[in-house]
Amino acid sequence: MKTWQFFLRWVRFLPAVVLLTVITRAADSHGGQDAAPTAEPPGAELRLLSVAEISEIPAPHDRLVVVARSVTDDTLHFKVFDRDVHVVVNNPETDFPEKTGEIAALKTLLAPLWEREALSDEQQDAVLAAVASITGESKQFPPELRSYGDQEMTSILAILKNRIEKQPFNLIASLLFLGAVLHTFFTHKFRHIAHVLEERHKQRIRAEGRTAEAKGYEGAQDDVSFKSSLFHFLGEVEAVFGIWVIPLFVLMVMRVGKDSAIHYLDHTVSYIEPIFVVVIMAISATRPVLNLAEAVMRKLASLGGGSTVAWWFSILTLGPLLGSFITEPGAMTICASLLAKQFYQFKPRPTFAYATLGLLFVNVSVGGTLTHFAAPPVLMVAGKWGWDIAFMLQHFGLEAASGIIVSNIIYFMVFRKEFAKLPRPAEQTTDIAADGTTAEPIPWWVTLAHLAFMGWSVANAHHTVLLIGGFLFFLAFHQATMHVQFRMDLRSPVLVGFFLAGLVTHGGLQQWWIEPVLGRLKEFPLFLGATFLTAFNDNAAITYLATLVPELTEGMKHAVVAGAVTGGGLTVIANAPNPAGQSILNRYFEDGISPLGLLLGAIVPTLVVGTMFMLMG
């Protein structure tokens, strides 16, 4: 090949490199904006005003409680705004005739406070509690942590008991959350039941003439077993938390009211991350993106002679770190797809297969921590705690990269003899379509357009309208270039998004117990606790709950996030991208991926990464 031809071949990738740089800087700038002091106070802000007209009450402000005194007749007016600046209370005292005694007591309490420039915490808490009792705002759900009035309690058990007494639904919500977690460990049982029911159903419809062939008309289909489909749905790990939202919502309506339940779902819970994960997973799984990733990995693997071990090392090192820029769900999709093609298709021994799976899950969990927008557990805290790319590189980057490389080397040394038994991957000279046939080459501008759509999605991850709008345009572009694409399959992305949406819905109701528990742990116990809890819960939920704990030190913030990403490979539910990897690689394991096999395969890299974070952090 002539020099100029070689140059032209590779210079076409220069815009992609520039685009990735712009994406990173744009996301960093976005994170910088979020880094402003946006954290909500643990309780509402109180303002006492003396006014001649109600119209003099100031403009809305999040979690603002206004008690206004009329200078003409000394009556009180209450106005309360919630977190989203919606008016939830706007009533004069005359609207509460059954509360005349409490209103009189409040006026007595306020008498010496009207002229004061600032109130003590005790005085503010007393006024807020009185207003909440009078207006019914005490029924806000979930309650503000300060509203429990247990700041002076020292015993965790006493605090939890007090919070259950103040809001009994706290216990119900946590028991339902526990039920969902336990459900995830029995999904294989539901899948087995579904398989048995399906076999019985097939025998029955054959006997009754309800098969497509027996029906005889064009477009006929076999009768579907509703029972089998139901149990199969119950056996989907990604569906579990969403399923348990149904009893949660029903009981919430019954116990705290329809308005409070709907307000919680509409305004309290944020579904930004689940929506973003659906979009980025769908784009990352397209043929142009996967082919580009494979081309990059092939170049790196060629440095090791293109052997299986070279591919294995390249995918498990560069792939997870790439997740810091294309997001962890995108990295998991790409790495799992390439491992299926370059490693798992050669049928390694089960021990080796599970070790690689555990390594993949752990590496992807920590590989996205070089930036603040790629890893779900980091994304949950970045805006609230003011973490940007510079912060992540300084406090997590070197530790994450070192942990990945050291873990890979350890497993390579342990299984080096196993590599010798695996065949060498064939040199690929043509593109292969999903069905194994030769596919048309992908024009460079199509790949560049996919990277642009990924960049748009990352830069607008927190702007849902722009994110969804860009994704709709991407779907149109995908259809217009279908001759060089795989068929778009949204099943896996939607299920993972459903998983995350259910998780944050449940997670928002766990702050009542997580705050006193996490708030009393020192850094190292907090790190261990976050790692352990992540095995039984999504690590994004752990870090999200940590943001609800007031006055965490910087060291404690680092400990909880480091622990959450360290434990992200121990189970399928530990990290949001894991179900995507499971869905891609499940067919390479007899009877599907075993939770115990995954746990054993992930223990060593988990210990290695945890050691790196604690020693170097």
Side-chain angles (χ1 to χ4, degrees), residues 543-570:
T543 58
Y544 167 73
L545 293 173
T547 64
L548 305 176
V549 181
E551 300 178 1
L552 281 181
T553 66
E554 290 303 316
M556 295 173 72
K557 293 176 182 178
H558 179 276
V560 72
V561 174
V565 299
T566 296
L570 293 172

Side-chain angles (χ1 to χ4, degrees), residues 75-324:
T75 59
L76 300 181
H77 189 97
F78 308 103
K79 196 166 187 177
V80 180
F81 303 94
D82 65 9
R83 294 183 183 90
D84 299 295
V85 202
H86 298 125
V87 177
V88 293
V89 173
N90 187 18
N91 303 89
E93 66 173 71
T94 53
D95 285 351
F96 308 102
E98 73 284 1
K99 301 284 187 176
T100 53
E102 293 185 42
I103 292 173
L106 176 60
K107 289 182 176 180
T108 301
L109 175 64
L110 291 173
L113 305 180
W114 290 109
E115 305 303 326
R116 294 194 181 183
E117 294 184 2
L119 305 183
S120 68
D121 289 342
E122 291 77 11
Q123 291 169 332
Q124 178 165 295
D125 288 343
V127 174
L128 289 174
V131 172
S133 178
I134 292 169
T135 63
E137 177 64 4
S138 59
K139 297 179 182 179
Q140 176 196 347
F141 188 79
E144 294 282 352
L145 295 179
R146 279 180 57 177
S147 69
Y148 290 112
D150 50 21
Q151 291 84 356
E152 303 301 321
M153 296 184 182
T154 57
S155 168
I156 292 181
L157 290 179
I159 292 174
L160 297 182
K161 181 181 178 182
N162 173 67
R163 294 183 177 188
I164 292 174
E165 291 175 350
K166 293 286 182 63
Q167 179 47 268
F169 194 80
N170 284 336
L171 182 60
I172 297 174
S174 293
L175 289 176
L176 290 173
F177 182 66
L178 176 62
V181 172
L182 294 176
H183 182 166
T184 62
F185 289 92
F186 293 94
T187 52
H188 65 288
K189 295 290 186 183
F190 287 108
R191 291 196 300 270
H192 174 72
I193 295 173
H195 178 72
V196 172
L197 291 174
E198 182 63 25
E199 290 301 316
R200 293 176 181 172
H201 174 74
K202 288 180 179 178
Q203 294 175 8
R204 184 170 60 254
I205 63 174
R206 280 195 294 265
E208 297 175 357
R210 299 299 300 169
T211 63
E213 183 180 359
K215 293 177 182 177
Y217 59 86
E218 184 178 355
Q221 297 182 10
D222 291 348
D223 282 7
V224 176
S225 170
F226 180 81
K227 289 182 180 179
S228 174
S229 300
L230 175 62
F231 277 93
H232 183 77
F233 183 61
L234 293 173
E236 292 280 1
V237 174
E238 300 94 329
V240 168
F241 285 94
I243 292 171
W244 282 78
V245 167
I246 297 174
L248 176 71
F249 179 73
V250 171
L251 290 173
M252 199 185 305
V253 170
M254 294 173 59
R255 299 302 297 266
V256 301
K258 178 183 175 181
D259 292 341
S260 295
I262 293 177
H263 185 273
Y264 173 71
L265 296 178
D266 276 351
H267 302 295
T268 305
V269 182
S270 172
Y271 296 103
I272 289 176
E273 191 210 4
I275 294 172
F276 170 70
V277 168
V278 172
V279 171
I280 202 66
M281 276 190 65
I283 299 176
S284 300
T286 55
R287 181 171 169 242
V289 175
L290 289 175
N291 275 30
L292 177 61
E294 183 175 2
V296 174
M297 299 292 183
R298 187 177 295 279
K299 287 295 179 183
L300 184 59
S302 67
L303 299 177
S307 62
T308 301
V309 65
W311 272 103
W312 182 89
F313 216 102
S314 299
I315 295 170
L316 290 171
T317 303
L318 182 59
L321 294 175
L322 190 64
S324 286

Side-chain angles (χ1 to χ4, degrees), residues 420-464:
K421 300 176 183 178
L422 300 179
R424 180 186 180 88
E427 289 292 333
Q428 183 176 327
T429 56
T430 58
D431 279 333
I432 305 298
D435 59 2
T437 60
T438 300
E440 292 190 35
I442 303 172
W444 65 268
W445 59 270
V446 174
T447 301
L448 186 61
H450 278 63
L451 293 179
F453 279 115
M454 288 186 72
W456 176 269
S457 300
V458 171
N460 293 288
H462 285 209
H463 304 290
T464 305

Side-chain angles (χ1 to χ4, degrees), residues 397-407 608 612 616:
L398 181 60
E399 296 91 330
S402 301
I404 289 172
I405 294 172
V406 172
S407 297
V608 170
M612 292 295 176
M616 303 173 64

